[in-house]
Every structure is written in structure tokens, then in C-alpha cells.
Amino acid sequence: MTDPLTTTDDIETYLDATREARLESYKAFLRIPSVSGIPAHAEDCRAAAEWLADSMRTAGLEHVEVCETSGHPVVYADWLHADGAPTVIVYGHYDVQPVDPLDLWTSPPFEPVVVGNRMLARGAADDKGQVHLHVMAAAAVLATRGAFPVNLKYVFEGEEESSSVHLDGWLEANRDRLAADVAFISDSGFFDGNLPAITIGLRGMMYAQIDVVGTAVDLHSGQFGGAVQNPANALAQIIAALKGPDGRIHLPGFYDDVRTLTDADRADLAALPFDEDVYRTELGLAALVGEVGFTTLERRGARPTLDVNGIWGGFQGDGAKTIIPAHAHAKLSTRLVAKQNPTKIFEALRDYVAQVAPPGVTVTTTYIHGGEASLTPTDHPATQAAVRALRAVYGTEPVFIREGGSIPVTAAFDHVLGLPVVLLGFPQPNCNAHAPNEWLSEANFESGTRTIARFWDELAAMRR
Ligand SMILES: [Zn+2]
């Protein structure tokens, strides 16, 4: 019987011997408050980038560079001596989400501590923990074997949590240097407790704002009510027209480019361990709703949605104020699936809103941001290499999942660089990413490192 946690003896011995040192290094990285969305933390983001670059040099990676962008730097490194073997881009991000509400943390977010078997800190899972796993896996392979079986190009960015604003430009500008066969993204997680999972689909996004304007100032609702259009009522009418009670979105052409779920896709999703009642109860809801004719997992990951994210206008203070508001506004997002195009969806929204808007108000629809969905076939050789690596380390069959969220860089690798993308990450689904008390289990920290090292071996068998 082989121990399922055994990678190969040499790497195993190295990882055992360096366990304490790796944990200390992980903590040191987590102590840097690299919150990309808060300008006061710009120097901390740079410090995290420099720390990462140093640890990559120590690991034995080459051409390590802290690359300037107009925002936070990208850390690049490579190792390119596996002639004839595939080349992989490894992506992760060293920036983190803000930490508020601070009073809900059981210990300070940038003072990592191990509680039980969990490392507790902002970024422990998303995504500094995973970036760290990659660097430690590289150190382990180079220290024990002196070479990788594949060529590696590491791209660790510092703006993922603030929309990766400068990454596309950097990828474009470095297109030649980034030539590769596949991208490996570690910014996702496991499924249902601690079930090894490969994320094959991520939804895209189209985010927009609707502004409805009536008069220059609020009007007396007694003097003018009944004579003029009310922007808040008008906005409510517009929003109500966007989606039916059956969950279908009414924008003309909205579903035209949606890739139909095959019977096999539906069978894969149906086979996942997912208890709808538990899911509903954990949310504290009386019912789950969504597009008729699809299961909850299908609706959450493989079908597009439209949701109002915020709505405001008029009087919102205590008590009563009898006005017809001068203006009203809503922000809304659509989560898109392959092959929907965000620009096309925005145009459909803009035209439809103009069509359903009642008279007597000026309505403007503005595009805020968008990104395409991505979908990697389960039978792609790189996906299958990930399956074999997970199977070898965890001794269990991994599942394929589709995430409802978006990782903009996935679409960038897919569309800017034309690369198939393997999404493999090691946090558990309840790791509190973006929330207080974020954590990663020590067990997954260790097994994740081993899986990555094993993945390079499995991938080496993949031919270009
Ligand atoms: Zn992330």
C-alpha cells in the first residue's frame, strides 16, 4: 500500500524536513498587509511583491523580476530548461481583500496564527497561501532534482482583488515572453467540505448602471403627484421588465450565444454531492428560486443571471418626506456563461431599457465593466494531468465544478493569450475568503504543495 500523500520519496523527505521553515515563511508573507484596493496600502503591496520575488530567487527560479505597471507590480519568474516539454504559465495574486469588519476577526488579520489545524489570516487562502504553495513546490523540486520536467513561467499579480485593471495590458505587452501551452491558475478551491475539485467553468460578467432623471430638484408629491413621471417608480418598472417570474431574462438575444448544456454536462453536475436543503437552510431561506427547468447547481454555475446590486434615489431618512424624487439609480450585474459576449449583452440591455422606459424621464444606461466566461473541456490533456495529480496525492477521484463567480484573468489567458486554463486551488469552500477569519488547513497546505509538484510530472507526459 502506498501512502496517498506520497509524491516521490525525494520530494517527500525534503518537504518533511522543511515543514516548520515553510510555515514560518508562509506567516511572514501573510504579515504584509497587501490590500490592493486601498491606496494607503500601495507600499505594502510593493513590499509583498519584493518579498515574493526574493523567495522565488531563493527557490532557484530564474529571471525573477518585479515588473512595473501603472498600478501594483506583477512578479514574474521562469525556469525554461525542459527542452521539448510543455510550457506552463502559473498564475496567482499576492494582493488581498480589505479586512473590515475588523471586530469579527478572532485574531488580527495580519498576525497569522495556527488555530487547530488552520492557518488564520487575511490571504491565507485567497490567494497568498496558494502563491506560497507554488513557490514552495518549486523550491522542493529544484532542491531535490535540480530540474523541472516542464517549463514554467510564473505570473503573480497584485491587483486581482481590485479588478486586475493593469493585467491585460501587461499580458499584451509581454505576449512574446509569455508564450506557453497552458495556464495553471490557483485561485479557486475544493468542493463540499474537502473534496478535491477542478474548476472547469467560470462565469463572465457585464456590470452596468441605470440612471433615471426627472426634474432638476425633488418635487412636492402633493402638488405634482399625478402630473409627472416619478423616476423611482419608472426605475422599478424598468427593473421589473428585465426578468420574468420564471427566472428568464427578457433582453432580446440574451440567450443566443449560451452554450447549451449537454446531457453529459448535466450528468456531471447532478453527480456532485450537493444537498439542496442543507444549502437553503444554511442561507436561512424558505425557498430557492431561479430559472425554471434547471437545477440549483446548473443555475449557479452554468446558466447566466441578472441581478440588481444596488438601488437608490429619493428620501431615505427616518420618518416621512413627501417628494417625487428628482432621480433614481440602480447598479446591476449579469453573470455570463460561454460564449456570451459582455459588449453584446450591454448593448442588448441598453436598447431594451430604452424601449421599456416609461415616458417623462431621461434614462441612461452605462457600461461599468465586463469580462467573458471561460470553459475548459474535461478531456483536455492538462485537465486530465490535474486529475491524475489529485488522484495520486489525495487517493480519491476529483470532481469537476463550475464556479458562479468570475476570475477576470482566466478570460484574459483564454482570450488574450489563447491558452487553455486549468483551475486548481486548495482552500476548502468555507475558508472565509473575502470574509473575517480567512483560513487554510495545514493539511491542504501540505497536500497542495505535493499536488503541484506531482502535476508537473503528469503534465510532462502531455505532448504539444
Ligand atoms: Zn483570489
Side-chain angles (χ1 to χ4, degrees), residues 327-342:
H327 45 84
H329 315 266
K331 288 188 190 283
L332 57 90
S333 61
T334 55
R335 294 285 179 170
L336 307 176
V337 298
K339 294 283 188 186
Q340 286 178 300
N341 174 288

Side-chain angles (χ1 to χ4, degrees), residues 93 126-127 160-161 187 434:
H93 61 91
D126 180 17
D127 188 37
E160 200 278 338
E161 303 294 6
D187 194 14
H434 295 206

Side-chain angles (χ1 to χ4, degrees), residues 217-278:
V217 292
D218 293 349
L219 298 176
H220 187 296
S221 68
Q223 281 176 355
F224 297 93
V228 300
Q229 182 62 263
N230 180 319
N233 287 59
L235 178 60
Q237 273 184 53
I238 293 167
I239 289 171
L242 297 175
K243 203 165 153 180
D246 58 357
R248 292 283 290 183
I249 293 149
H250 291 160
L251 310 183
F254 185 80
Y255 295 97
D256 285 1
D257 300 322
V258 171
R259 189 179 163 281
T260 314
L261 281 169
T262 63
D263 288 346
D265 291 336
R266 301 191 83 165
D268 275 350
L269 287 167
L272 290 174
F274 177 74
D275 186 325
E276 203 158 298
D277 281 334
V278 171

Side-chain angles (χ1 to χ4, degrees), residues 369-381:
H369 67 85
E372 289 182 43
S374 80
L375 191 63
T376 304
T378 53
D379 58 1
H380 190 281

Side-chain angles (χ1 to χ4, degrees), residues 206-210 330-333 346 349 365-369:
M206 191 285 294
Y207 202 110
Q209 178 165 330
I210 301 175
K331 288 188 190 283
L332 57 90
S333 61
F346 169 72
L349 174 73
T365 307
T366 311
Y367 181 80
I368 295 186
H369 67 85

